[in-house]
Amino acid sequence: MNNNILEDLELFNEIIKEFLNEEKTTPASKFISPENIMKEIDLKLDKHPLDNEKYKKLLKQLINSTPKSSSKHFFNQLYGGRHSKAVLGDLLAVILNTSMATFKIAGPQVIVEKTILETISNLVGYSNESGGTFPTGGSMSNFMSVVMARDKIDLSINKRGMSKTLIAYTSDCSHYSIAKNASFAGIGRENVRYILSNNRGQIDIISLEKEIKKDIDRGLTPFYLNATAGTTVLGAFDPVKKLVNICKRYKIWLHLDGAFGGSVIFSKNLKNLVEGIENVDSFCFNAHKTLGAPLSTSVLLVKKKKYLYKSFDNDAQYLYQTHNKDY
Amino acid sequence: MNNNILEDLELFNEIIKEFLNEEKTTPASKFISPENIMKEIDLKLDKHPLDNEKYKKLLKQLINSTPKSSSKHFFNQLYGGRHSKAVLGDLLAVILNTSMATFKIAGPQVIVEKTILETISNLVGYSNESGGTFPTGGSMSNFMSVVMARDKIDLSINKRGMSKTLIAYTSDCSHYSIAKNASFAGIGRENVRYILSNNRGQIDIISLEKEIKKDIDRGLTPFYLNATAGTTVLGAFDPVKKLVNICKRYKIWLHLDGAFGGSVIFSKNLKNLVEGIENVDSFCFNAHKTLGAPLSTSVLLVKKKKYLYKSFDNDAQYLYQTHNKDY
């Protein structure tokens, strides 16, 4: 098979135009069970490459059998169609293939990232001590917040490992990544307390404070509260302002998981759903869930940039040559 | 700005054709320092959208100022140009925007992933007990291997958190992610032993075994050895076969970080550089480093699939409806 970018760009255009037409007239692909797929589409990998015609035919068959999860006719949780300008950005990024590690290899793309992060930071109400990054998804954004909270409590964990029991809190309507992340970070799934929600899916403040006090009495260390802006099933928003007060009182890191609903910050009418957000320690949202950006476009903001550095900064002189302290 | 996918596909084609021509005649972009970028390219975000003409002009300016890191004229560590078929795949994936979470939403794309993983597994020499996945990059592949090794030693860590000191080993020429990952997983950077390398950049077996014995004598628990297939600076390959023997003797998880050089498995002439690979517990490589695939195309293989499940499986009935046990 040829390695010819212009030829393959042509093929891309041909396939995608057919696909977009098909999407209009046939909004749902025919379901093929996993047991039957190999009979219908020959996906096994041969030792020898396919000839161009067979390759093209197979590719079209594969694409037409894939669920059309980005069309406006696809109804499932967490999908939001596509905005063509975001798609354009992602297509260009494929060709540029820029690694964002340093200014020397990414140039102005670094400024694009910084500008977006600073603009959102201002919108949230964070000061210029804030920072942010684009993690690989919502679960990873939440993971980074857990690690920062853990290292803030005791930076020696980063160096010498976990040695005491830390307790995290989240509502029983929150995302499944919270327990997973506790296991990854050496905290342990069983050290996540699931707090009852009210009948609208919001965390119950009184139960939360009771649990925190109980844990302190037991000699354990509360360190992290995950609040949710937009729970998966009910789309509930935890009461940020009240949680800020509790977290200040007990010196607990407050993370606002807005993977699903956090983009209300862009709406004048809905922003009040996250009132108090300027006081949370970290906040994330997924532009691929509610803003029409392609998978995955995740944003993590941190009230104090220094915690990003404390947990994630790493020297690698042999690999990264930076321009100056900031770039 | 319009949300019109056909219009923006046209714009994509226009920009990329210019870009690919420019790449031939002007292989290196003009350097602009971070201090001067805002003067040369107006990247600030206004409250009001740009009109179409200004938008197009700005986009072209941004792209022409980005380092052309995927051209054949770009010489820097770890870059490998682009293969047009891999680029085509990535472009199509942008439009399809498939989430790979379940068979119900990804359909035959799941089979594509499984087929690739199984084919590589066979090439490596793993049995049908093996499994794999596509992590978001090399560092994340290494992280997943550390978590699996940690949970294999003691699955209660996953549930109740870290409680004893675990020791990881790696050569002093290995990737910086090993220490970072130890900090993320609650093991601690200082519990990574950097073993001396010989003058060809390969881990010194005698020093390694000495360190392991010393740690056991101290009452510590050796649990993980990271071997490298292709170190960043020298491209050195650690002697896998000898390391397999040591790891069996001390019941240590052997991970082979082939982010840079692991794709020698596809070469008849070079495969011997990783002789013994069929006995490592996990292995990863980056197709975006040496096979011309776009960023990021990372593969993690695990000799026994059950360890992937033990550390990363998670029920979320409220979210994922699966087809059957395997899909």
Side-chain angles (χ1 to χ4, degrees), chain B residues 264-302:
Chain B
V264 294
I265 57 166
F266 298 102
S267 157
K268 272 185 198 156
N269 295 331
L270 297 173
K271 209 185 156 174
N272 67 319
L273 288 168
V274 290
E275 205 192 332
I277 190 175
E278 69 279 8
N279 291 311
V280 306
D281 295 289
S282 54
F283 163 64
C284 70
F285 71 95
N286 286 342
H288 60 257
K289 289 218 172 79
T290 29
L291 296 180
L295 283 162
S296 58
T297 313
S298 292
V299 175
L300 172 67
L301 293 177
V302 183

Side-chain angles (χ1 to χ4, degrees), chain A residues 28-70:
Chain A
S29 313
K30 194 186 80 172
F31 177 74
I32 313 175
S33 73
E35 295 80 11
N36 286 328
I37 271 192
M38 278 299 197
K39 281 177 226 157
E40 303 219 8
I41 316 175
D42 182 9
L43 290 171
K44 72 175 183 300
L45 290 164
D46 277 328
K47 286 218 166 172
H48 303 286
L50 295 176
D51 68 44
N52 283 345
E53 278 312 304
K54 276 191 189 157
Y55 170 72
K56 194 161 138 179
K57 204 186 139 201
L58 185 63
L59 212 47
K60 287 186 181 180
Q61 206 186 354
L62 172 64
I63 281 159
N64 285 327
S65 313
T66 299
K68 298 176 171 65
S69 53
S70 289

Side-chain angles (χ1 to χ4, degrees), chain A residues 204-266:
Chain A
D204 182 70
I205 302 285
I206 294 167
S207 307
L208 170 66
E209 197 159 3
K210 254 189 220 162
E211 283 291 331
I212 294 174
K213 282 183 183 163
K214 228 192 274 176
D215 285 321
I216 294 174
D217 287 347
R218 282 183 194 137
L220 305 174
T221 308
F223 83 110
Y224 178 83
L225 170 61
N226 173 75
T228 309
T231 60
T232 310
V233 177
L234 291 174
F237 285 74
D238 286 337
V240 177
K241 221 172 160 178
K242 288 180 187 163
L243 296 174
V244 166
N245 290 332
I246 293 184
C247 287
K248 276 193 184 156
R249 198 171 311 143
Y250 297 99
K251 295 200 173 71
I252 289 173
W253 182 287
L254 176 54
H255 173 64
L256 183 59
D257 172 9
F260 184 24
S263 40
V264 293
I265 57 166
F266 298 103

